[in-house]
Amino acid sequence: MQYNFDEIINRRHTQSSKWDNVGARVGNSDALPMWVADTDFRCPQPVVDVVKARAEHAVYGYPFVVPEFRTATTNWVKKRHGWEIDPNWVVFATGIVPVFNTMVQAFTRPGDEVIIQRPVYHPFGYAIEDNDRVISDNSLIYRDGRYTVDFEDLERRAANSKAKLFFLCNPHNPVGRVWTGEELRKMAEICLKHQIIMISDEIHSDLVLFGHRHIPISSLDERYQMNTVTCYAPSKTFNIAGLRGSGIVVPNPEIRKKLEAQFKRNRSIQQNVFAVPAYVAAYEECEDYLEQLLPYLEDNATYLEQFLKSHMPKIKLVAPEATYLMWLDCSETGLSGDALAHFFVQESKVAVSRGDGFGPQGADFVRLNIGCPRTTLEEGLQQILEQYRKQF
Ligand SMILES: Cc1ncc(COP(=O)(O)O)c(C=O)c1O
């Protein structure tokens, strides 16, 4: 089927967090929403069909997780990422964020440390601090416009007996890196050596751009597999985050048992009736959507890069290797933190995500969501340009 990602769909008054909650969340209800990580694209037709059919049934009692959920996950991960998974390893969750909290609760005690790599997806930190655990920040190194891992620092942090878990974001939101096999091996070896369990959040793994290749960290070595909880979901790829379904791959039976027991204690596992049918349809029937989406996102990213180079050279795009979340280095504008947010959200009326929301290292950055029709991107960039010309 042919998809038209240029189609403008009015998302206002649909209880959309991105469009209808932008005032409360970003601070300007008139700003063009380019912040939270969903796309403005219609989701694939097989998903629409299955949701409609389920809705038409008109009985919405308690569902259970059918075995097709597991095989849809294993088939997809094998086909797209080359990792062979036993269906029995796959655990349903109503989202990946709840898994962060559940892992922290199951495998650490108050006061223990959890390693993250800031600037990084902020709910990593919330899961740690909301549970009275301590963030151990293995900050990424930013040099010559590119992010890398500080392995010496990681080793030091992992050696601390208080450290119990490591949250990996691969591909990394917001800096857009797809970690290489070598980088993954080094991180995994450090974690193994110091008995740190890894949580590999691979929610963006389908959205890899410009010839980069996603490698599931667990696919590299059986020892890594036994030490890792890997999180997948069709939610970003197919724009179905509101349906709440994710597949958590836990090859180690001991870890799986503990995770499931904690889910049970929290009574937080129950899915809605649309979650699993949509999940299965997305993974089993919608690869053609992804094949068309990727070049569209690449074109948007290229358009953004050229626009910035030609018209706003003080704002630099950190080379995106994956995701539709673009990380803009604004350090040359001299604006930072509140002043930078003011420039984008209040003056330009473009609702970006503040860079410092991902950690203090992000103060000179903003994250721009280009998962939108080209004309929306053009509109947002024109608004920013108008203000840029006045100020720089
Ligand atoms: C890295 C990462 N993990 C997880 C999520 C969200 O997970 P979920 O909606 O499944 O809870 C996001 C959403 O932006 C994300 O970027």
Side-chain angles (χ1 to χ4, degrees):
M1 178 172 176
Q2 195 62 34
Y3 289 98
N4 176 15
F5 298 112
D6 285 326
E7 182 189 3
I8 301 282
I9 299 173
N10 184 359
R11 297 186 63 195
R12 291 202 193 273
H13 312 300
T14 62
Q15 303 180 9
S16 154
S17 179
K18 188 179 184 181
W19 286 81
D20 294 326
N21 207 21
V22 58
R25 290 295 302 276
V26 188
N28 183 356
S29 53
D30 294 332
L32 182 68
M34 301 186 81
W35 62 292
V36 70
D38 63 26
T39 72
D40 296 326
F41 305 131
R42 197 180 157 79
C43 81
Q45 194 57 39
V47 173
V48 177
D49 292 343
V50 87
V51 168
K52 268 190 185 165
R54 188 64 190 84
E56 283 294 339
H57 184 249
V59 180
Y60 309 130
Y62 298 117
F64 78 108
V65 176
V66 293
E68 291 83 351
F69 158 77
R70 294 191 174 78
T71 44
T73 311
T74 57
N75 290 343
W76 180 262
V77 174
K78 176 150 193 251
K79 185 165 50 174
R80 298 297 302 187
H81 308 304
W83 180 28
E84 193 103 38
I85 297 169
D86 181 329
N88 294 316
W89 299 345
V90 186
V91 177
F92 177 86
T94 53
I96 290 180
V97 170
V99 176
F100 305 154
N101 288 273
T102 313
M103 284 299 294
V104 166
Q105 291 159 2
F107 290 94
T108 67
R109 293 170 180 277
D112 281 348
E113 295 185 2
V114 178
I115 304 172
I116 61 175
Q117 297 175 311
R118 282 172 161 169
V120 76
Y121 184 55
H122 39 290
F124 283 15
Y126 300 158
I128 300 163
E129 292 188 329
D130 289 352
N131 286 293
D132 300 321
R133 276 65 164 178
V134 179
I135 291 173
S136 177
D137 188 2
N138 170 229
S139 306
L140 297 176
I141 297 169
Y142 182 56
R143 198 170 294 140
D144 301 327
R146 185 176 161 80
Y147 283 88
T148 50
V149 174
D150 185 341
F151 292 105
E152 274 175 32
D153 181 73
L154 178 60
E155 174 95 50
R156 243 189 335 268
R157 289 175 184 281
N160 184 335
S161 63
K162 285 244 171 229
K164 299 287 188 293
L165 297 176
F166 170 55
F167 278 37
L168 171 69
C169 197
N170 184 32
H172 190 99
N173 170 14
V175 311
R177 275 297 316 278
V178 176
W179 304 114
T180 63
E182 193 190 344
E183 287 169 319
L184 292 170
R185 277 184 197 283
K186 279 192 186 168
M187 290 189 268
E189 288 296 337
I190 290 172
C191 287
L192 271 181
K193 179 170 158 196
H194 298 288
Q195 295 177 325
I196 308 275
I197 297 173
M198 295 189 291
I199 294 106
S200 184
D201 179 350
E202 303 187 9
I203 194 169
H204 294 285
S205 54
D206 301 324
L207 301 172
V208 168
L209 308 173
F210 302 117
H212 290 276
R213 190 168 72 89
H214 172 75
I215 304 173
I217 193 163
S218 280
S219 70
L220 289 172
D221 192 310
E222 213 159 301
R223 294 172 307 134
Y224 306 165
Q225 196 164 282
M226 293 305 277
N227 192 42
T228 305
V229 169
T230 306
C231 306
Y232 292 109
S235 47
K236 302 291 160 194
T237 313
F238 302 105
N239 204 22
I240 55 172
L243 292 173
R244 312 306 299 149
S246 53
I248 313 306
V249 184
V250 197
N252 184 321
E254 292 300 314
I255 297 179
R256 196 165 60 245
K257 203 164 135 198
K258 275 195 173 178
L259 174 66
E260 287 183 317
Q262 188 64 37
F263 268 139
K264 199 167 161 209
R265 269 196 292 278
N266 293 350
R267 297 287 180 269
S268 61
I269 198 74
Q270 194 75 48
Q271 80 272 24
N272 70 70
V273 292
F274 301 108
V276 171
Y279 183 106
V280 172
Y283 275 164
E284 293 288 22
E285 298 175 53
C286 302
E287 198 174 14
D288 60 339
Y289 179 96
L290 176 59
E291 294 297 352
Q292 294 168 55
L293 176 65
L294 290 172
Y296 195 90
L297 294 177
E298 287 177 347
D299 285 352
N300 269 3
T302 304
Y303 178 83
L304 168 67
E305 186 186 23
Q306 314 246 303
F307 192 96
L308 293 175
K309 271 193 183 141
S310 311
H311 306 295
M312 299 191 269
K314 287 180 196 278
I315 302 178
K316 297 205 158 50
L317 174 64
V318 175
E321 297 176 357
T323 84
Y324 47 76
L325 306 165
M326 301 290 111
W327 190 234
L328 305 185
D329 180 345
C330 305
S331 47
E332 282 182 31
T333 64
L335 300 178
S336 190
D338 288 344
L340 188 60
H342 188 79
F343 169 77
F344 279 97
V345 179
Q346 306 304 336
E347 294 175 327
S348 308
K349 295 192 171 47
V350 175
V352 293
S353 300
R354 288 175 69 127
D356 53 9
F358 302 94
Q361 303 88 338
D364 300 344
F365 296 75
V366 294
R367 192 189 75 178
L368 183 82
N369 180 343
I370 60 160
C372 59
R374 172 68 62 77
T375 48
T376 308
L377 175 59
E378 286 170 3
E379 189 185 329
L381 290 177
Q382 281 301 335
Q383 287 175 208
I384 299 166
L385 180 59
E386 213 173 289
Q387 292 305 315
Y388 183 95
R389 286 197 169 128
K390 284 185 195 163
Q391 299 196 27
F392 307 113

